[in-house]
Every structure is written in C-alpha cells, then in structure tokens.
Amino acid sequence: MNALYLSHFTATSAIGQGLDQTLDALRQHRGGLHPCAFDTVDLATCIGEVAGVDAIVLPARLAAFDCRNNRLAQLGLEQDGFAEAVRAAVKKYGPTRIGVFIGTSTAGILQTELAYRRRDAETGALPADFIYGTTHNTFSVADFTRQYFGLNGPAVAVSSACSSSAKVFASARRMLAAGLIDAAVVGGVDSLCLTTLYGFNSLGLISTQPCRPFDVERDGISIGEAAAFALLERPPAILPDAAVLLLGVGESSDAYHMSSPHPDGLGARMAMQAALDMAGLQPADIDYINLHGTATQSNDAAEAKAVMGLFGPATPCSSTKGATGHTLGAAGGVEAVICALALQHGLQPAGLNTRQTDAALPLNYLRDNRSQPMRYVLSNSFGFGGTNCSLIFGRAHQP
Amino acid sequence: MKLTAYIEGIGLLGAGLTDWPTAQSVLTGQQAYQPSRTVLPAPTLLPPAERRRSSAIVKLTLATGLEAVAAAGLDAATLPCVFSASGGDGENCHAICAMLASDDRAISPTRFHNSVHNAAAGYWGIATGAMTNASVLCAFDASFGAGLLETLTQVVVDDARTLLLACDTQYPEPLHSARPITDNFGIALVLAPQRSARSLAQISVTLTADPAQPLDDAALESLRLGIPAARGLPLLRAIALRQDGRVVLDYLDTQRLAVAVTLC
C-alpha cells in the first residue's frame, strides 16, 4: 500500500485525557481500572471509566446528539489540538474532501437503556425527549464528528464489535487510494453501557478483578471506555523526524463461532500475515506487538498460537488492556495511538496486572517497560462474530 | 472522482418482492406492486445451533446474499463482503433494553452476541465458510449509499470481486415510533472490477449534490423512503428496465450518489 501519514492523533481513556497523560501512565505503570460504580450496575467487576464525561456540554446546534458516547467523543476531539488540526485540514483540502470513519460497538445505546426505564406506564411509549437517530443509532458518533467540524465528505460508522476502530483504518485507506478524499478523520469511541456490562457477564467473560492478560490466572475482561482519533493524510515530501505512518492493514474473518475465536487463531494469523504482506515486511521486522490480549481464556490462548506460529517466541509483546480495560469498539483506535506513542518515544509498554505469565502462552510478554528505538510495530484487534484486523505502523525515518 | 464496477449478481427480498426475478417485473411495471409482509426464509445453510439462534437480520442477509452469489455463479467463501445496515436486529435490541430496565437484568448470552452490529456478518461467515474481509457499516438513512461506496472502493482499490449486503430490520414498539422502519428489506449485489460473461451492467459512481431520484410508483416510493436499504431500488429499476441511464441514489443529507448505468 501507499503509506499514510498520521499527521495528528489523540486518545482519551481511563489512563488519561490526551497524549501526555496517556504516555505518563504507560511510563509509570499506572492503570485506570477501578471497582464498578457506574449507573445502577450491580456487578462485581472493575471498569475503566473516563472521568468528567458527564460534564461535557455539546454545542447548542448539536444538542440532539447529546448522550454519553458523543460527550466522550467531544472530550476526545478537544485533546492535543486535534480539533484545530481537523479545522486546518478543512481549510487545506475543503470540507468535501475529508472523510469520517468512526468505530463503535454500542454508540449511544445507553440513552435507550435509560429511556426504557421511563416508558409510559399505560402505553409503554418512550419519553418524548428520546431521540433515536442522533444518540442510539450506531452512526450517531460518526455523524456527530462530521457535523462538529462541518465536514461534507463520505462518512460512516464501522461497527464490527471489538475490531471496529482498527478497521476504520482499512476503510479510510481504500477511500484515500480510490481518490475520493484527501484526508480522513478516523477513530473509535465507545462508552460504558448496561448492554455490554450485563452482556459480557452473561457469557461469563468479565473478571471480578482488574483484568490480567496472558496471566495463568486470567479470568476475563474489564470493560473500559475511550475516544481515540487520528488524522490520516498522504505523506508530504518532507516528514517530521518522529512521523508515524500506517504501512499495512490485514483483515480476515474466522467463519467459526459468534462469541469464541478460532481455537488455533487461524483468522488472527491470516490478518497479521495480510498486514505484513501489504507493508512488504517480514515477521522479524516487527519490533513490538500490541496484542488484542483481552484476558479471556480463549482469546489469549488463540492469539498466542497465532502470534507464535507467525513470529515465534521472541518478538516483544503486551496487551495494554490491563491499563485501559477493554474499550471494545474504541480499542483498535486507542491501541493504534499507543503504538504511535511507542514508536515516537521508543517505549515498549508493559502489560499491567499480569503476575505470572501463562507458560502455555510462550510469547515474549512484557511485564516491565523497555526503552528500545523501534521502526515497526503491529497492533491486533479481534472481535465477536470472528472479525480480525491487524495494523502495522512505522517510523518514517530510522530512529 | 468516478468509481466503476460491474454488477454480476443481484439478490433482493422485501415486502411483496420475494426475489430479484419477481422484483424485476414489478420494477418495470409489467406486474402491479402488491405489498405484503416480508417473509424470511429459514437459514438452512447454518448448522442447527446457529439456525435456532439466528434473528431476522441474519435470515435476511443470508437470503439476499446467497441469491446474489448464486446468480453470479460464484462461491460465497471466496468473496470479501460489505455489510451495511441502518441498525442491528430490532427485535433483539428491544428485548435487551426491556430486560435491562426490569428487575431481572440477566440477558441471555445469545441475545447479547446477536446484539452486535456485525452479527449478520458473523453468521454469514459460519454459513458460507468465508474467511475473507468483512466490512460492517452503519450510516443511518445513508447506509445503502455508504455500503455501495465502500464496496466500490474494495473493488477498485483491491481489485477484487466484493459482495454488498444492505439489509434493514424493523423495530417493535416502543422503538418503532422512534425509528419507524416499515418492514424487513435487503439488497445484495456482487460487484466485480472487470467485465465478464456474467456482467449484467457497468456502474460508474460519483458524489453529487443533486436530489435523489424518486420512484414513479407511489407504493414503491414509500418502500424506498421507509427503509434505508430500499434507497438502492432506483438502481435496480434501471437494470430491470434494461435501459442505459443515470440514476441518483440517496446518501447523506448533503451528498448523493450519481450512478451511470450501462447495460452489458
């Protein structure tokens, strides 16, 4: 593929608002998972909640979009000068030449969950102030982002469960390559809601403790929320020294089961191989892998087989979900930003909460941070329905 | 910027439209349109456990997708897919929200995994064995246009035959009042990068600010307006009429898709 330049990027999750806090949390091994006190949830679990989401006020002209998910989106967009960068891109390219590709799994469904508590006792009707299209609907966060900046190019929400905001890079790449747009606002936004907390609980997949990816005693995920964004453009002739590029995208499907990964990680391996092929790289070129690493028994076992089969046991890897929690549809975006930070700062981030790495998963799983100049990193995102996406990012210049 | 592809297979299922051959005579006016509730066939290609768990959007997606792939004479396992839906399965969403508002929040695992927007994509893979890329999209009322654009970029940029599956299901009350989708409806298209013996028509698509083209028949027009996936009907009508021409399909509030149709 023709490499794409991440001219700006930002992430807001339970470990911090914006890049400085996120990087500092990674450096200090500071996690963001705490016992769940969200809404009326009565589950014994830990969550990665973003502080201050409820206090965000949307612009009056976008009041119809008001819900936790879009508040989180706005909080994320306003970090690190990202909004200013998008506005500058609008001046440079024009509003019709910028596409919007936002990944989410549940968008603003919390709004509907809350509205169902206020149904009319006689008719069962939802309250009159409930607006479906701009809150609950999966597209609402992409439409909000588009209208926040007055963009007029193609816009879409990608919703393939936990691979959603990795796959936005794939859709944006194709649309840039097709020449329909000159820049893309890509990202992922997912916010806490009862559907996912009680849903994952029904599957026996949530942990009572902060999740422990690749640990011998791992027992499930910790759900988090996040907003992460990147501005993708074709690389200019001269790139800054620390420039990060998207070099490869690999996508596949397991065709196996709705809520369990292929036991040998076959689909995962296909996605990683496809990303390497697109980037024109060999497994040995990859300096660090940000694993999907959810801390469920089955994900980590299948992913370890896939990584082992393709990379062998030496490539340094970790899951940052022990810090952020599993931010579901936002995970691919958050971890893309963590990969970009890792490349720029020569940081291989440790996986938190893992006390004893599972000997049955014989990867080079990092439990301590490492300082190491890196050229290429890979990020994995897999999801329900057997959806897989791997991304390869690299430094434009040898660090 | 113009994106060009060749349609090799069409699948269609909706109110009073049981498949593409039936729909053609209705779209051309040879046969009067008589809307009746959409009947979803059993997803016989799925293993028994998945068949039991499959919801309306899964049945609709399988029926339309398999019709298009069979018409093109292709193996579904080989085709990358674009699934575009304006929402997930409506019945399932209502059931979850009702339980979460009750004293018993113990929603079932099947309800939960059927709630993901890519449930139909997951079942499609299980049914067909396709381990190919699946893009799963939503753009509210613009979902058909968004799906068509994404499919075209896959065809053009990745130089690969790609299957578009645009399907919508209905919400029960009380959500139906907030999102009044009138019935279940789906369109599936196999698009190819090159002309072949199977090609039905060439389409060249550009963005336009022109208004979307309505359908002459009042009942068909209310179908087009009532279900986002049915916004693709003007394209299928042009193919059914076997006439070259230009149609404008609905997309975003400020952007539509102009489609130049050339019969093969």
Side-chain angles (χ1 to χ4, degrees), chain A residues 17-155:
Chain A
Q17 296 182 10
L19 296 178
D20 288 348
Q21 290 184 18
T22 301
L23 181 61
D24 189 59
L26 293 172
R27 284 190 163 137
Q28 306 299 327
H29 285 205
R30 192 171 64 241
L33 301 179
H34 301 289
C36 178
F38 178 71
D39 187 64
T40 55
V41 175
D42 56 359
L43 301 173
T45 185
C46 292
I47 58 172
E49 185 171 356
V50 175
V53 177
D54 288 335
I56 300 296
V57 179
L58 271 52
R61 68 187 171 89
L62 300 177
F65 286 92
D66 190 31
C67 63
R68 184 178 183 85
N69 206 55
N70 290 329
R71 291 181 188 190
L72 178 55
Q74 181 171 315
L75 178 63
L77 288 168
E78 288 299 332
Q79 307 301 317
D80 299 309
F82 189 82
E84 290 77 7
V86 174
R87 291 187 190 105
V90 171
K91 286 208 176 91
K92 183 176 175 186
Y93 298 117
T96 60
R97 296 290 299 175
I98 301 176
V100 173
F101 308 83
I102 307 295
T104 187
S105 67
T106 49
I109 198 169
L110 175 65
Q111 208 70 5
T112 305
E113 296 169 0
L114 298 174
Y116 263 70
R117 295 181 195 165
R118 297 191 290 132
R119 290 173 68 176
D120 186 284
E122 292 192 0
T123 66
L126 293 169
D129 59 12
F130 169 69
I131 312 170
Y132 166 87
T134 44
T135 62
H136 170 148
N137 188 264
T138 304
F139 185 53
S140 85
V141 64
D143 200 17
F144 171 73
T145 304
R146 172 176 167 261
Q147 297 202 30
Y148 195 69
F149 297 113
L151 300 176
N152 194 28

Side-chain angles (χ1 to χ4, degrees), chain A residues 263-276:
Chain A
D264 297 323
L266 184 54
R269 181 169 174 166
M270 287 167 63
M272 290 188 282
Q273 183 66 60
L276 287 167

Side-chain angles (χ1 to χ4, degrees), chain B residues 106-169:
Chain B
I107 59 176
S108 82
T110 299
R111 282 254 178 255
F112 179 54
H113 78 224
N114 280 349
S115 77
V116 295
H117 193 74
N118 61 323
Y123 282 96
W124 173 265
I126 293 167
T128 64
M131 298 188 75
T132 46
N133 166 35
S135 293
V136 187
L137 310 178
C138 176
F140 195 56
D141 282 347
S143 293
F144 183 85
L148 181 61
L149 264 191
E150 168 94 7
T151 311
L152 284 162
T153 64
Q154 295 217 11
V155 169
V156 171
V157 174
D158 294 343
D159 194 31
R161 277 194 177 86
T162 304
L163 175 62
L164 167 65
L165 304 103
C167 294
D168 285 308
T169 62

